[in-house]
Amino acid sequence: MFTGTFRNTVKNLLRTPTFWLMFAVVIIVVLQNNIEHFADGTKYGPIDINTYNDMMHNIPVPNFMMYAMPLFAVVCTVITLNRDYGDRFFEIEKAAGGSTVGYVLGRLSALIAVCGVLFTAMTFGLLYLRVIVAGGVADMTATQFLADSFVRLLRVDWVLCMPSIASYICITYAVGTLFKHGVPAMIVSSIYIIFYYMVYLMFRWKWQAVYQIYFRYLCPVPRALATHVVRVNTELYQMLMDMNGDTMTDVYLGFACMIGYIAIGTAVSYFRIKKRDV
């Protein structure tokens, strides 16, 4: 059941025009946001090491994770939900037999895998494009840059950003199973994406306890985890952790919150689908 559901979900996504339209929108938005950086690269030459270190955060998080990639993940999930509840794909797959666990995990794993592969490709593509336009990174050979950036950006993508994307997918899918339709899931998730974007812009520098709790643990990109994953083994790491009052406990708790969102979304989806009768 898992393998068949996984395969069918991927095929259905890749065959849907809305999927490719949304993918194109993400690329256009990200490239448009980087026009100034491309211009600076051609004007000032090789990227200095401090800017390069900042890019390990700025490429995946502000460029993709503030709204573009979460919205893409939500749209992919809604496409799948609409196939389940509108085109009756659930009945077809249920007729083949199999467990509810395999069905739910197959659906969610396929969505996470598709989004993960495309997200990783886009972040590396943007990084390499900016470095090529600028003529490289100062004081680093091409080999050094490729080796260093591969480890660091992949770590940010898959330890920080992918759990966040998976959270959006699982919660969106859970809302869809509760309402038995993709539209409510789209509305709820889109509202939260806008909410997080506005709260981030207005309140991330507020140091009251309630804001600190949200940005340190509960938001889609937990601050302490982001600082650790992006800056570990760099000169600014300890300074940034101390400046924000973050510790390794906060890092682990932030990661645990994202895993918690994934678990809650998966559990709700499982119990709703288990009770579903074609």
Side-chain angles (χ1 to χ4, degrees):
M1 188 69 167
F2 173 86
T3 303
T5 303
F6 183 99
R7 183 173 59 251
N8 290 336
T9 304
V10 172
K11 288 194 299 185
N12 291 332
L13 276 176
L14 299 183
R15 291 172 179 172
T16 305
T18 305
F19 170 86
W20 293 108
L21 176 62
M22 193 63 202
F23 180 55
V25 168
V26 173
I27 293 177
I28 291 170
V29 168
V30 170
L31 289 178
Q32 185 177 22
N33 290 339
N34 281 269
I35 290 177
E36 185 177 342
H37 295 298
F38 292 135
D40 289 343
T42 59
K43 182 178 180 180
Y44 298 112
I47 297 168
D48 65 79
I49 193 65
N50 291 326
T51 300
Y52 167 70
N53 287 331
D54 290 340
M55 287 168 67
M56 292 299 106
H57 174 268
N58 295 337
I59 291 288
V61 179
N63 276 287
F64 289 94
M65 291 304 300
M66 292 308 300
Y67 59 88
M69 198 62 206
L71 188 58
F72 176 77
V74 167
V75 170
C76 290
T77 308
V78 170
I79 290 171
T80 301
L81 285 165
N82 287 341
R83 288 294 181 94
D84 283 352
Y85 290 96
D87 297 342
R88 301 300 180 184
F89 269 64
F90 175 82
E91 286 84 344
I92 297 172
E93 293 179 339
K94 187 177 180 64
S99 66
T100 304
V101 171
Y103 180 86
V104 173
L105 294 183
R107 279 282 189 263
L108 297 178
S109 297
L111 288 165
I112 293 168
V114 169
C115 291
V117 169
L118 293 178
F119 172 70
T120 303
M122 286 189 289
T123 55
F124 273 91
L126 180 58
L127 174 66
Y128 292 157
L129 185 59
R130 282 185 55 179
V131 170
I132 290 170
V133 169
V137 178
D139 301 321
M140 293 181 73
T141 66
T143 302
Q144 290 172 330
F145 161 69
L146 289 173
D148 183 76
S149 63
F150 178 79
V151 173
R152 294 178 63 187
L153 188 55
L154 195 65
R155 181 176 65 210
V156 176
D157 282 354
W158 283 87
V159 178
L160 175 66
C161 299
M162 276 313 302
S164 178
I165 292 171
S167 299
Y168 280 109
I169 290 171
C170 292
I171 295 298
T172 302
Y173 196 84
V175 174
T177 61
L178 287 171
F179 288 94
K180 298 183 179 181
H181 203 285
V183 172
M186 184 74 194
I187 293 172
V188 171
S189 295
S190 298
I191 289 173
Y192 183 71
I193 291 169
I194 295 170
F195 167 80
Y196 171 62
Y197 184 67
M198 297 303 296
V199 168
Y200 180 84
L201 291 179
M202 293 187 294
F203 300 113
R204 71 183 186 277
W205 299 119
K206 301 289 186 180
W207 294 96
Q208 288 87 343
V210 63
Y211 300 121
Q212 289 304 295
I213 291 172
Y214 179 72
F215 288 115
R216 186 176 280 149
Y217 310 119
L218 303 176
C219 73
V221 184
R223 187 190 63 220
L225 177 62
T227 301
H228 177 75
V229 171
V230 173
R231 296 288 185 175
V232 67
N233 298 326
T234 66
E235 294 180 357
L236 295 178
Y237 172 69
Q238 196 57 53
M239 184 194 76
L240 290 173
M241 292 290 282
D242 292 341
M243 181 179 71
N244 293 319
D246 295 331
T247 66
M248 283 304 300
T249 300
D250 299 322
V251 172
Y252 296 136
L253 288 175
F255 186 77
C257 284
M258 290 195 293
I259 299 302
Y261 296 144
I262 295 170
I264 291 171
T266 303
V268 170
S269 299
Y270 168 79
F271 287 113
R272 288 294 296 170
I273 291 174
K274 186 176 178 62
K275 294 181 180 179
R276 182 176 175 182
D277 54 354
V278 301

